[in-house]
Amino acid sequence: MSLSYVTYRTAIDRETHRLVRATTGAAPATPVPGCPDWTLADLLRHTGNLQRWFTVLLRDLAQQRPARPEIDPDLPADPARYPHWLAEGAAAADQVLRDTDPDAPMWAWGPDHHARFWARRMLLETLVHRVDAEQALGLPAEIDPVLAADGVDEFLTNLPYATPFAPHVAGLRGADDVIRFECADLDRQWAVRLRPDGFGLDPDAGTAHATVRAGAAELLLFVYGRPGSGASRHGDAALLDRWCANSRF
């Protein structure tokens, strides 16, 4: 975990309420370009359901993956009420996060099988979807660069384990091809090696076959496959196209 558990917990609350403020009173049918085929109502329902599911996992310190309900029973019939429903769920999540030992062992789909995994994951889900909503509404969508860089790290660390719900990730194979991701505004970079049998972070990778460079915020949006991130791409264009086609989840 790159940042402290308290940082994740307080950022979840802050990011959720930014999302609530941005969407309160907005038309639920507003399209969300960052999530093709979604409306604001879809985005809020997805974010709220995920937060509630993560909250249950943390409350129970689940030791194996439980079934995830498709629709929360408390979901309002009127989508205009979704922001309020999201805020209610965030309050419950915050209380569970306060009561949970971040080092408690539990099931997680990524490599870190501790409660802290879910705090970090909840933050990034909420932050990225807050940006999606603000951009859909034409609002300023600023991202703290430290959180953004941690989000890039979290994404690249966990992506090799995402195939159970994102099977296209299995298409990220190569002949020891290296992609380097560089933060232009922070001293952070990551190298991912695509092997014939899989892929993953390789801190000892040498020369990259392709490089993506941007400020931390733009780099986070790039790895999440959001349009218009402003990231600059260099090197093997086909390799980067393969990455973009198979890395989104």
Side-chain angles (χ1 to χ4, degrees), residues 163-241:
T163 50
F165 56 86
H168 51 275
V169 169
L172 292 173
R173 301 290 184 270
D176 283 331
D177 302 314
V178 174
I179 303 174
R180 194 175 302 280
F181 299 87
E182 298 179 346
C183 275
D185 53 350
L186 297 174
D187 185 21
R188 298 288 301 274
Q189 61 175 279
W190 302 262
V192 175
R193 185 179 297 277
L194 277 64
R195 309 179 306 274
D197 61 343
F199 74 100
L201 287 168
D202 183 355
D204 299 320
T207 302
H209 299 88
T211 301
V212 180
R213 181 173 174 80
E218 292 80 12
L219 198 58
L220 178 67
L221 297 180
F222 176 87
V223 297
Y224 270 88
R226 269 33 183 190
S229 68
S232 62
R233 298 164 44 142
H234 308 277
D236 189 333
L239 175 60
L240 288 176
D241 287 344

Side-chain angles (χ1 to χ4, degrees), residues 5 9 12-13 16 50-52 54-56 58 86-100 122:
Y5 183 77
R9 179 178 60 76
I12 289 166
D13 184 71
T16 304
L50 273 185
Q51 286 198 357
R52 282 163 165 78
F54 292 178
T55 298
V56 170
L58 286 162
L86 177 61
E88 290 179 334
D94 185 66
Q95 187 58 58
V96 168
L97 287 164
R98 288 175 182 273
D99 294 341
T100 300
M122 191 187 301

Side-chain angles (χ1 to χ4, degrees), residues 5-60:
Y5 183 77
V6 172
T7 297
Y8 292 130
R9 179 178 60 76
T10 55
I12 289 166
D13 184 71
R14 183 175 64 250
E15 292 294 326
T16 304
H17 284 91
R18 286 186 65 176
L19 176 54
V20 168
R21 287 194 299 272
T23 55
T24 297
T30 301
V32 180
C35 302
D37 303 323
W38 275 16
T39 64
L40 278 182
D42 296 323
L43 183 147
L44 290 168
R45 182 172 59 245
H46 168 82
T47 305
N49 273 325
L50 273 185
Q51 286 198 357
R52 282 163 165 78
W53 188 52
F54 292 178
T55 298
V56 170
L57 292 176
L58 286 162
R59 182 197 67 199
D60 298 341

